[in-house]
Amino acid sequence: MTGRYDIRLSKNSKKALQNAKKKWISRYHEAKSMFLVDVGNYLLNEIKKLHPKATVGSGEIDYGDALRVAILKEEQTEDVIAIYLDKSEIDVTVDNASSTALYFVPLQSSPAWVVVLGRYSPWPAALVPVAVQRGQAKVFSRTARPDELTAIAERLYANKNKIERELVDAGAAAPEIGNFEHAIGLSVTPDLGHDVLRRELGMDGKKSQPVWRPAFQATRQYAKECVGKITEYILTGKNQFALPENSDTVDSSIVKEGIEFARKMSKIL
């Protein structure tokens, strides 16, 4: 004897399943965010553990304590974790000018001569031909070896008259390549990623200082071990993630400018 049997859920059963589905979907998104913060926080702690006082750059920036972890909100892509620096400017001083290269990026309100500075970037800090005031340009700094700065200086001096003439035509007052005083006191944004990479690989004239590579290796293994926490949270709501006391969601604009600059400058210095 054969036949067809229909099994139908009661209204209460349907409601229970719908509620469970909604809860699991909600928990999935929550778990994904917590997983990212958990892994990012682990990476941050590994960096601090490997080198609690990690300094880079001509300003000898102690960046370890200033790093923060957050969810980086993207407009059209999946959320990603951001490890970012919670301070962004240093001043060019007499002490660090001799090892600093500057890149000038025009703003909408910049004078026309800033475009000329940008066109001929990078500039050794000691050779900047015009005093740049706050708000006239976005200025990035990179640490450079003496031989690198010498090569840049030779390029600029070879075109000295041409560059100074272009600056005058663009409205700069009495530009002079080689006036050491022009850059002193200038607030700049250090390209920390560039300086960290050079420090990591020993490309800055100092002994290699591996921090990020071993930190990433340890974090990759930790992330694999964390996958079970996602399933546990979705099914039971039990939170086993190791979260920092303070974490945040930040807009992608905090790193967008730096990423675009890094892409443009990746083939220079």
Side-chain angles (χ1 to χ4, degrees):
M1 180 177 179
T2 60
R4 176 178 174 181
Y5 298 91
D6 293 330
I7 299 177
R8 298 182 181 182
L9 297 175
S10 66
K11 290 183 179 180
N12 289 338
S13 296
K14 285 183 179 180
K15 186 176 181 180
L17 284 175
Q18 288 173 350
N19 289 339
K21 183 179 178 180
K22 290 179 181 179
K23 184 180 294 184
W24 290 335
I25 292 174
S26 175
R27 285 178 181 173
Y28 163 74
H29 291 293
E30 292 173 359
K32 185 175 65 171
S33 295
M34 289 190 290
F35 169 78
L36 288 173
V37 174
D38 187 347
V39 172
N41 188 53
Y42 182 88
L43 172 61
L44 196 59
N45 288 332
E46 282 295 299
I47 293 168
K48 293 180 179 181
K49 181 175 70 176
L50 289 166
H51 203 310
K53 296 295 181 182
T55 58
V56 295
S58 55
E60 285 300 298
I61 302 169
D62 178 5
Y63 67 86
D65 291 335
L67 290 175
R68 299 289 181 268
V69 58
I71 294 291
L72 180 64
K73 280 291 183 183
E74 298 288 350
E75 294 181 358
Q76 298 178 343
T77 61
E78 292 289 332
D79 294 345
V80 296
I81 199 70
I83 303 292
Y84 67 99
L85 190 67
D86 194 27
K87 60 180 179 180
S88 59
E89 289 190 346
I90 62 171
D91 291 336
V92 177
T93 66
V94 173
D95 291 333
N96 65 35
S98 59
S99 57
T100 299
L102 300 177
Y103 297 77
F104 294 88
V105 179
L107 305 171
Q108 288 186 345
S109 59
S110 293
W113 48 262
V114 172
V115 177
V116 180
L117 291 179
R119 186 183 309 139
Y120 289 99
S121 292
W123 290 84
L127 300 187
V128 175
V130 183
V132 181
Q133 304 301 320
R134 180 181 290 274
Q136 289 185 321
K138 183 69 175 180
V139 188
F140 290 91
S141 70
R142 285 179 169 179
T143 303
R145 300 189 308 267
D147 61 304
E148 292 173 324
L149 291 174
T150 296
I152 298 170
E154 290 175 351
R155 169 179 60 81
L156 293 170
Y157 275 124
N159 296 280
K160 183 176 187 296
N161 293 335
K162 178 177 181 291
I163 297 172
E164 290 179 348
R165 186 168 58 252
E166 288 185 26
L167 287 167
V168 170
D169 292 342
E176 180 187 356
I177 293 178
N179 187 331
F180 183 79
E181 297 297 326
H182 280 155
I184 303 303
L186 182 63
S187 293
V188 301
T189 300
D191 185 359
L192 187 69
H194 174 269
D195 287 349
V196 165
L197 180 61
R198 285 164 61 88
R199 182 85 292 276
E200 186 90 4
L201 301 177
M203 296 172 62
D204 59 353
K206 300 178 182 179
K207 185 179 178 181
S208 173
Q209 184 186 64
V211 174
W212 288 78
R213 283 173 293 173
F216 272 117
Q217 290 172 356
T219 303
R220 187 179 296 113
Q221 180 59 39
Y222 179 76
K224 293 178 181 179
E225 298 169 357
C226 280
V227 173
K229 297 180 183 180
I230 298 177
T231 304
E232 180 71 21
Y233 186 78
I234 293 173
L235 295 178
T236 68
K238 185 177 181 180
N239 185 354
Q240 296 181 324
F241 295 101
L243 303 177
E245 291 184 6
N246 298 309
S247 63
D248 202 357
T249 298
V250 295
D251 190 82
S252 59
S253 61
I254 68 164
V255 297
K256 183 177 180 181
E257 186 177 54
I259 291 173
E260 290 179 352
F261 169 76
R263 287 173 179 167
K264 291 178 181 178
M265 298 296 137
S266 60
K267 297 182 180 180
I268 305 176
L269 190 53

